[in-house]
Amino acid sequence: MTTLSAQISFRYRLKDSATGVTRATAKRLAEVLGVDETQLIHLALHDLATKVLPQYEEDEGAITKAQFRQIKKSVPKFKDIVVRSNLFDTESV
């Protein structure tokens, strides 16, 4: 016996816009990707989820000053190293 999952009604837009696509566009995308329209919707939702939702567990926030000092102490010290904040030398331009 199979369990029915929750279903939603899905309506295509009358014209393509930033908030939706027409069925013709969806069919073209599905054809190009070699999937059916349902799989296309899942792919699009997965792509949006990975772009919008955090892909890691939330941490405790910013580090403390003591943690920062400990990190700074653990970084190897090198002589004659120049750290630049800009990749381009703007003074010689």
Side-chain angles (χ1 to χ4, degrees):
M1 177 160 104
T2 60
T3 324
L4 292 177
S5 61
Q7 302 290 316
I8 63 166
S9 175
F10 182 82
R11 290 186 208 110
Y12 290 102
R13 301 292 192 240
L14 295 176
K15 68 180 198 173
D16 292 328
S17 71
T19 59
V21 297
T22 62
R23 185 154 191 198
T25 298
K27 283 184 174 189
R28 286 179 55 211
L29 277 169
E31 185 178 319
V32 167
L33 295 174
V35 298
D36 62 27
E37 289 177 69
T38 301
Q39 187 62 33
L40 177 71
I41 293 167
H42 284 288
L43 288 170
L45 288 172
H46 177 268
D47 187 49
L48 185 62
T50 57
K51 288 179 183 175
V52 174
L53 301 175
Q55 300 300 306
Y56 50 86
E57 289 186 35
E58 190 173 335
D59 60 20
E60 292 83 36
I63 63 173
T64 65
K65 289 181 181 180
Q67 290 169 322
F68 183 75
R69 282 192 300 271
Q70 186 61 38
I71 292 169
K72 201 171 177 182
K73 275 201 256 182
S74 66
V75 174
K77 306 287 189 270
F78 296 103
K79 294 181 180 180
D80 301 324
I81 298 289
V82 177
V83 177
R84 295 179 185 257
S85 60
N86 192 332
L87 294 177
F88 304 101
D89 185 8
T90 57
E91 295 195 18
S92 64
V93 176

